[in-house]
Amino acid sequence: MKVNLLLPDGCAASESIPAFARDALKKDLELETILNAVARKDDFILQALTEAIFSPLPTPELISYRHEALHDAIDHAEEVRAIYDLCLSTDRRRLGTMGTLNWMNNYDLNTTFNGALESLNVLTEALRRLRKMAEAYEERFQSRGFRALFRMLREELTDEYLEEVKRQVAELRYPDSFLVSVRLGNHLQGVDYVLLKKSKKQTLELAVAPSYRLGEEDEPAKDISARQARAVNGVTNALAQSAMYLFDFFDRLRSELAFYIGCLILIEGMESKSMPMCFPTVLKGESEQREWEGLYDISLVVTKRASVTGNDLRAGHKRIYLVTGANQGGKSTFLRSLGQAQLMAQCGMPVGAKKFTAPLRRTVYSHFKREEDRWMRSGKLDEELVRMRKITDYIRPGDLLLLNESFSSTSEREGSEMLRQVTQALADSGVEVFSVSHLHTYASAFRGREEVQFLRAQRRSDGERTFKIVPGEPLETAYGEDLYKEVFG
Amino acid sequence: MFYSVLFPSEESAARPRRKTMPEAFTDLQLDVVMKRGLQDYQELGLEDIYYTPVTDPEVIQYRQEVLRELEDPAVREALSQIVERFGSLREFMDGLRQKMAGAMKLSDSSRRNYFYKIPIPGVTSSKTRNWMDMARVLERLGEFTETLADFAGSVERLRFRSAGLRGFAEHVLRFCKSERFLEMDAEARRLRAAFGGIRYCLWFKSDNSAVKVLPFEEQEDYAAGVEALFSRFRQGETRDFRKHLEEEPVSEKLENEILQLLSRRYPREFGDLEAFSEKYLDFDDDAILRFAREARFYLGWLEMTEKLKEEGLHFCYPALEEKPKETFARDCFDLALALRQNRGVVTNSFSLAPPEQILIVTGPNQGGKSTFARSFGQVHYLASLGLTVPGTAAVLPFCDGVLTHFEREEKLKDLNGKLRDDLMRLKKLMDAATPQSVFVVNEIFASTTAWDAQVLCGHMLEAMIQKGGNAVLVTFLEELADFGPQTVSMAAEAPEQEGGSASYRILRKKPGGLSYAMRLAERHALGYEDVKRRVGG
């Protein structure tokens, strides 16, 4: 039984973003701040959103599939939460632990057998309740995902089926004797024990069969319990696997619902700070059109617990976005907001903006300047180069790279030249690059180029920074002096 | 008369062998080679073969011939069953024979016990036999005869050339033609087929009181029903909850009692088994079992080297000579390193033409010097075992051992203590050396002043020249490079361009002259062309 709330049957997300790039993105884009705030302590939400964000969808169609279901979730939040709560009651960590024993990982077969049986009882009851909910909700929902789910539950979990499950579970109890079929092993030891159902005929035969009465020398206690274990091994496996199937089913359902619950929490959270969220327009990967209005850094709202400034832009046919300008002028914040929006848009989440239009980018990579690491063994520039090398080993045409003050740990000239070569090579290979840099030589090298969009941290004529990022070519002077003045008065 | 596949005669096999690992093994990382490449050498008791270099030309030739012949996959295929199945057969059968002899006595006493019990006819059997041990004789014997018969069948086709394999094959053929062999082979096949077809039902109570045996009649399987019921929820991989349960019984006695019950249903089969196991208890043959164990020496080696050959590395059969006109090895490499990293192993060559005797290797850190020194030692040592050596061609002297001195990491010693230590170790090394010993010395006296080190190394080189064996010395003292006519200077090759990475190539040349100013971006391949090529598009 498939859930299919996140993807239609038979569809798959793109290959997920490589682990090293995920780790960097989490840090660089402050994704962890956002995800932890949304998930609170619910691991399922945390995992569902994390997994989604790092597994971009390959087509705009699949994104609308999620948008549709998200609209349903927004309109029927109460129902969606009710199903989610039912899933909570089937948590395997709770049901997997009967008393103090963890039956799923227990060495003792008896424990596994009884634990599985008990879990199956509870799970079967949950199935019955789930079926009831499906019957009640089906008509109210509009999206393909939710409607298909409800129909499947109604059709598969009929009363007859649920009765049969109950009967079978009840019938299985440890018997006081065992009948197994046996084959002879390589030195005539009995092997391949298979537990059999006793028939009437057998009961008769048993009465007259030759028998042996056990004595002390036979180590009866140990030997017979070993034989018992072999006899019930197969049926215990069948029970435990069945319980696992059901756990897995509820887990899948819960994980997929968790994505939508997570989105709901995020939207509510932003609304409470008067920050809008929108359903983005996602274009095909071939497009080079980008447009945003009021694009803001969600993590900043989370940490400041207040509303923040947003940015606007409308651009077309650009490959390289070069952001220059004053220190602490909002450049990194802007880059983060763009990265967040891109990743969230690509997985069907709403984004932090009034409006956001962007093409699909297969994978997003980030290369941000890192604070000095006390334990760092290699030099700082060397560390940056190693990271860049790794990114360029993985990155492919159609991907997006976010650069933040890369190679600024060496001299202006050297850093500029290295960064220029990398940026140019990537853009020429079909990678889209957003680069925040104060390396003047670097930025100037791209002046007058069609495929480059220059952006600049805005500064009013009186020298005051607005934290807005606006179109504009790099200026000759850096703004370190401003900062100096601000700090030293 | 065939005796061993490692030694041409019983006499040469009887010479004493070393039982403990030579100290050089760790420094040359031959311990790693043995562990990674030849996992089961210890289990088979072949350590002493690896620990004992051979200087007898006849033995070396005998082994090289066998090894060369075993390179043919068809030959190995023909021998594989013998090797896999007979490796530990002797220990097993000896144990079984002992146990069966002991069981005779035991059954006497237990028979006496029955007088004190009231026998209930049809319920308690009074003369249970050890059916399982009898079956073990049948099992091993059947394997033995089938394996040998298979091999005998392929001997004609293979036409062995090496003295070692030819001797073995002739021995097996004689053995397989004997009347006893043919008889026990046929009987074993018949019995195994008979028992293989038996399936019965066992009934037992959970209160440990009794067991019963009854016929099997296709009763319904419990687990299958449960599986079918929940199959609709099944998705993807499932976890297997079946415990891995030992199928050997806890109590062999009880298992034998169950078989005793079963024997009433199959009296003829069980009777035949009893007669068979008595008649053929001593079926195994010394020379064949010894071969099975010893052949692993070659097979383990071939398995390991062939994997490396697939990576493009070469191995060759060295020519061993008393006093070679020129000692050399071409394109050799550090075997331990190759096993670790597989790809991109750098090869190096060296040669020593008398009076040359000692290689002096200098160069920067991380340039591949120690690796080179190790491979020098490995080549000499492996050749002395009659094995192939890394490289495309090699002529080497007979060598009775490799003596090594590598820098040890002992942090707690003060410098003087360390120097004393170095000298003590060196003294021990020199005392142990013979004219056929090979030296590998890596960064000795590194803890003392350059001047002291130079004087001390000088003494050491003099001593080595006195002894007469080949040697390699890795040192930071470039002054030693032109020590005398007996020494040859080798140094790490300069990178092709300034800032390029080390090539790990060690060449016959004067030391020094390398520039190591690094161009970082180049080193990380982050130039425009490099990036564009990698990303594609």
Side-chain angles (χ1 to χ4, degrees), chain A residues 103-109 112 233 236-237, chain B residues 239-246:
Chain A
W103 69 260
M104 286 188 270
N105 301 308
N106 204 286
Y107 179 74
D108 179 44
L109 263 176
T112 307
N233 205 9
T236 303
N237 181 48
Chain B
R239 197 170 131 191
D240 192 348
F241 283 90
R242 274 170 303 179
K243 312 289 178 199
H244 179 74
L245 297 175
E246 186 58 64

Side-chain angles (χ1 to χ4, degrees), chain A residues 1-2 103-107 109 112 120 127 156-157 161 164-165 168 171-172 175-184 186-198 201-202 205-207 209-214 217-224 226-231 233-235 237-242 244-246 249 252 381-382 385-386 388-389 392-393 395-397 418 421-422 424-426 428-429 431, chain B residues 106 110 113 117 120 122-125 128 131-133 135-136 139 195-235 237-255 257-259 261-262 264-265 270 273 520-521 523-529 531-537:
Chain A
M1 285 171 55
K2 293 187 179 164
W103 69 260
M104 286 188 270
N105 301 308
N106 204 286
Y107 179 74
L109 263 176
T112 307
L120 279 175
L127 284 179
E156 294 276 347
L157 305 176
Y161 176 74
E164 171 62 15
V165 169
Q168 181 71 269
E171 186 189 291
L172 279 158
D176 66 347
S177 69
F178 300 85
L179 182 69
V180 292
S181 74
V182 187
R183 288 184 188 279
L184 292 170
N186 50 340
H187 42 259
L188 299 192
Q189 77 281 36
V191 296
D192 295 345
Y193 277 25
V194 176
L195 186 65
L196 303 173
K197 287 195 174 174
K198 258 169 272 176
K201 177 163 170 278
Q202 227 102 54
E205 278 180 349
L206 264 174
S211 100
Y212 167 78
R213 204 172 290 280
L214 274 67
E217 273 179 65
D218 298 313
E219 305 179 59
K222 267 163 84 184
D223 187 287
I224 294 293
R227 284 176 206 275
Q228 270 184 32
R230 287 161 65 190
N233 205 9
V235 77
N237 181 48
L239 286 174
Q241 283 190 343
S242 301
M244 293 311 268
Y245 296 157
L246 290 178
F249 171 74
R252 283 196 303 276
L381 179 60
D382 203 51
L385 288 164
V386 168
M388 187 68 88
R389 166 68 202 249
T392 57
D393 279 342
I395 204 163
R396 290 291 164 265
M418 284 194 273
Q421 295 210 12
V422 171
Q424 192 65 59
L426 289 173
D428 289 353
S429 310
V431 173
Chain B
L106 205 104
S110 62
N113 280 340
K117 286 182 183 168
I120 304 163
V123 175
T124 309
S125 151
T128 299
W131 297 111
M132 292 181 70
D133 278 346
R136 286 186 177 105
E139 181 196 6
F195 281 107
I198 295 177
R199 189 172 184 188
Y200 65 97
C201 279
L202 176 69
W203 175 89
F204 55 94
K205 292 191 69 165
S206 44
D207 66 2
N208 313 332
S209 57
V211 296
K212 295 184 181 188
V213 165
L214 55 164
F216 174 70
E217 288 160 336
E218 307 293 337
Q219 294 91 339
E220 196 185 329
D221 173 356
Y222 237 121
V226 177
E227 272 169 25
L229 193 58
F230 289 96
S231 62
R232 67 183 63 187
F233 292 98
R234 178 172 200 149
Q235 239 181 43
E237 293 291 299
T238 33
R239 197 170 131 191
D240 192 348
F241 283 90
R242 274 170 303 179
K243 312 289 178 199
H244 179 74
L245 297 175
E246 186 58 64
E247 289 197 300
E248 297 300 321
V250 173
S251 161
E252 266 209 37
K253 177 170 173 304
L254 178 54
E255 194 73 14
E257 297 289 359
I258 293 169
L259 289 169
L261 296 178
L262 189 65
R264 297 198 210 170
R265 293 191 184 277
F270 279 81
L273 174 66
L520 277 174
R523 202 179 83 197
H524 291 279
L526 285 170
Y528 179 88
E529 293 299 336
V531 172
K532 192 134 187 291
R533 181 170 35 77
R534 276 207 304 285
V535 179

